[in-house]
Amino acid sequence: MEKEAEIEKLKKECIEFCKKSPLYKDGTFPVFGEGSLNADIMLVGEAPGYNESITGKPFCGAAGKILDELLEYAGLKREDIFITNIVKLRPPNNRNPTQEEIKSFAPFLDKQIEIINPKIICCLGNFSTGYIMKKFNLSNKLQGISKIHGQVFSVSTLFGTIKIIPLYHPAVVTYDANMKDVLKEDFKKLTKL
């Protein structure tokens, strides 16, 4: 029950913060994240897209359908993991989040990680990979997603060992269908872990 109370408090704080953000627009919702608070796996995306911003749910558009397919392929259920983004509001025209936006929203992600305490954090795309790897002192291993996708980095924390796995963002498949096989192979590693 403690986790639920902590996450609800954090969600309320996040929503209040979002209402003051330059990214906030009437008729859109902050995308706080959803899933199991006891998840071993946390997926961290970059920022919500259009569909996410009108529903308040992470990964519910085209990239979300691909993500669901990849999770199913790996034998994982969406409700057993926790899915969130670094930036909780949609940048205009789905542009990439700025470093300033990432920095302003990062404390909410940091607290989500602390509360959920996952064993595996999958970073979806370059922005989440960059942030998470720097957060866990892996800057020296940081390269573009095309070089480090699917690699497993183990880090020791006060709460135990966490495995960090950079992955391509599922949206890449909407631009290049051939990337689905690469993503399937990377997601398969989650099953082994």
Side-chain angles (χ1 to χ4, degrees):
M1 188 61 202
E2 195 178 307
K3 276 187 178 187
E4 283 87 350
E6 281 186 80
I7 214 86
E8 273 311 307
K9 181 177 179 279
L10 183 65
K11 187 175 184 177
K12 284 181 183 144
E13 288 168 13
C14 181
I15 289 167
E16 286 310 307
F17 175 84
C18 286
K19 287 178 183 172
K20 297 177 187 109
S21 167
L23 293 178
Y24 183 76
K25 286 187 177 60
D26 282 338
T28 63
F29 294 96
V31 182
F32 180 73
E34 66 181 16
S36 170
L37 300 185
N38 298 309
D40 287 336
I41 300 172
M42 180 184 257
L43 300 182
V44 181
E46 301 175 347
Y50 174 75
N51 290 307
E52 291 76 13
S53 72
I54 57 172
T55 62
K57 295 187 174 301
F59 287 90
C60 65
K65 285 184 179 69
I66 294 160
L67 178 63
D68 290 344
E69 209 176 299
L70 292 165
L71 290 171
E72 190 178 322
Y73 178 78
L76 299 167
K77 289 186 171 79
R78 190 174 171 124
E79 60 268 20
D80 294 338
I81 59 179
F82 193 86
I83 304 173
T84 191
N85 291 297
I86 302 176
V87 176
K88 311 298 187 192
L89 289 168
R90 177 182 178 232
N93 305 314
N94 282 1
R95 70 159 164 72
N96 291 330
T98 65
Q99 286 307 309
E100 192 178 295
E101 288 162 353
I102 289 169
K103 191 176 171 190
S104 72
F105 282 95
F108 295 105
L109 175 62
D110 292 348
K111 191 73 178 155
Q112 286 174 314
I113 292 169
E114 188 185 311
I115 293 167
I116 293 161
N117 191 21
K119 292 180 175 66
I120 299 169
I121 299 175
C122 298
C123 314
L124 304 176
N126 276 314
F127 291 93
S128 57
T129 297
Y131 177 76
I132 294 290
M133 290 191 68
K134 286 174 189 162
K135 173 182 171 52
F136 288 100
N137 299 315
L138 292 168
S139 296
N140 60 331
K141 307 267 196 242
L142 188 55
Q143 297 178 62
I145 201 76
S146 62
K147 290 197 170 70
I148 60 172
H149 71 91
Q151 290 184 36
V152 180
F153 300 94
S154 289
V155 291
S156 293
T157 71
L158 293 172
F159 309 105
T161 301
I162 297 179
K163 294 187 180 344
I164 312 285
I165 308 172
L167 299 167
Y168 279 106
H169 194 287
V172 76
V173 178
T174 63
Y175 309 112
D176 181 356
N178 297 324
M179 289 300 292
K180 191 181 265 186
D181 290 336
V182 175
L183 274 158
K184 278 182 168 180
E185 283 310 303
D186 287 350
F187 268 76
K188 199 77 173 164
K189 290 176 184 169
L190 296 178
T191 316
K192 293 174 187 150
L193 291 170

